[in-house]
Amino acid sequence: MFFETAGIEVNPLIPPLVAFVISFFTSMGGVSGAFLLLPFQMSFLGYTNPSVSATNQLFNVVAIPSGVYRYCKEGRMVWPLTWIVIIGTLPGVLIGAYVRVVYLPNPKNFKLFAAGVLLYIGIKMVRDLLSKNTGNASKANSEKRFQEMVMQRRAKVTDSKSTNNDLPPVIKVTHFNLKRLGYTFYDEAFDVSFWGIFALSFIVGIAGGIYGIGGGSIMAPFFVTFFGLPVYTVAGAALMGTFVTSVAGVAFYQWLASCYPNVSVAPDWSLGILFGLGGMAGMYLGARCQKFVPAKAIKWMLAVIITITAAKYIAEFFK
């Protein structure tokens, strides 16, 4: 099948299959998988036009709602955190989209930028995982208690031969204002700065807009490593933030296409939707299975994938 905007020919079964596999694993950590689909499109499919960023965000728009639905159903959405991420990343994503088209149209330079963003996050996550001092006992305790609750519920379901293994809501917001956000997760309290998250969201939004991943995807590792929040509580907020900013990103890229008629800017709708359909199924199953996977395993998975991808981009830049 030939995709005109992307200028590539590929079997129509490959995009949804690849997106399904990637999204199943990455959605457990609150990441849509778009940051891995981008190198797949650029390196394996040969799709290097600026419109690849817009197509990546279109994938987010189609795929993410299923994962968000699962996290909402299980009561693991920290809505105030979600709104801060959206408000902060949204203007950043629009700025990033403009920078991508005007200043980083060359795929070689773009890959080096993407490598820098990913490598920083990956190294930070590895250092935190290898550190003997976790730096946040509350987070470790709440994650452990959550896993114990999951195993107990799973055992009860098995004994009763029931198919309902959903957990009751485990997150409770204690305070939310223009200074602080606080919530409890299995009776462990977490408190973060409103403006700290907002400022980081804006900066990450610019990087995400350039990279074509919406911005919220990068936030999940930052929440875990810099703010010390449990991965089980940030995944839904990060995905929801990615969805909203990706909608704006796709619309903005489509508008930019009219301003730069000689540059491939608008998304390839057919390719983006195919990726999105596979991602939709992958995210739903990933969000459903997340509670059965230890938090440390999820973090290691994200760290390794991010670091390897960054190293590959750097190697390609210097070839």
Side-chain angles (χ1 to χ4, degrees), residues 23-293:
S23 299
F24 173 75
F25 292 102
T26 58
S27 61
M28 295 183 187
V31 181
S32 69
F35 74 102
L36 290 178
L37 279 181
L38 190 72
F40 173 78
Q41 292 180 77
M42 296 180 72
S43 300
F44 291 93
L45 300 184
Y47 185 7
T48 58
N49 298 328
S51 62
V52 69
S53 295
T55 302
N56 229 31
Q57 291 192 341
L58 177 58
F59 155 79
N60 285 333
V61 173
V62 177
I64 287 177
S66 62
V68 171
Y69 167 75
R70 280 304 311 181
Y71 286 119
C72 290
K73 185 177 180 181
E74 295 178 7
R76 289 192 285 135
M77 284 289 291
V78 185
W79 285 107
L81 184 64
T82 305
W83 301 132
I84 299 176
V85 171
I86 292 172
I87 294 172
T89 56
L90 189 55
V93 166
L94 300 183
I95 294 173
Y98 179 79
V99 172
R100 170 68 168 107
V101 173
V102 178
Y103 298 105
L104 289 173
N106 187 303
K108 186 177 181 180
N109 296 334
F110 176 55
K111 282 187 176 183
L112 184 63
F113 166 80
V117 175
L118 295 177
L119 189 61
Y120 176 76
I121 299 172
I123 291 175
K124 174 64 176 174
M125 293 190 74
V126 170
R127 288 182 60 185
D128 290 347
L129 286 165
L130 293 176
S131 175
K132 293 182 179 180
N133 179 16
T134 62
N136 196 323
S138 294
K139 179 179 69 172
N141 290 336
S142 60
E143 288 175 343
K144 183 178 180 181
R145 291 180 63 187
F146 180 71
Q147 271 290 296
E148 291 174 349
M149 178 67 74
V150 169
M151 293 301 106
Q152 292 173 5
R153 177 59 63 91
R154 193 175 188 182
K156 290 180 180 179
V157 169
T158 302
D159 292 340
S160 63
K161 297 181 180 180
S162 171
T163 59
N164 182 20
N165 59 3
D166 290 335
L167 294 169
V170 294
I171 295 173
K172 181 179 179 181
V173 177
T174 56
H175 57 274
F176 176 49
N177 51 52
L178 291 179
K179 292 183 177 181
R180 311 292 300 181
L181 162 64
Y183 66 90
T184 59
F185 178 56
Y186 275 98
D187 299 325
E188 300 290 346
F190 299 91
D191 183 86
V192 292
S193 167
F194 176 98
W195 291 109
I197 293 179
F198 177 86
L200 183 60
S201 298
F202 178 74
I203 296 172
V204 167
I206 295 176
I210 296 173
Y211 192 41
I213 55 178
S217 296
I218 306 178
M219 288 305 301
F222 274 112
F223 285 150
V224 174
T225 55
F226 288 92
F227 290 95
L229 300 178
V231 68
Y232 294 122
T233 68
V234 304
L239 283 177
M240 186 63 179
T242 303
F243 170 75
V244 174
T245 53
S246 292
V247 171
V250 169
F252 192 59
Y253 270 111
Q254 191 69 47
W255 175 78
L256 280 177
S258 62
C259 301
Y260 297 89
N262 298 323
V263 181
S264 177
V265 177
D268 189 308
W269 288 87
S270 299
L271 184 61
I273 291 173
L274 281 178
F275 275 121
L277 292 175
M280 181 187 301
M283 283 193 202
Y284 180 85
L285 293 177
R288 185 179 181 88
C289 295
Q290 188 218 40
K291 56 180 176 286
F292 301 115
V293 181

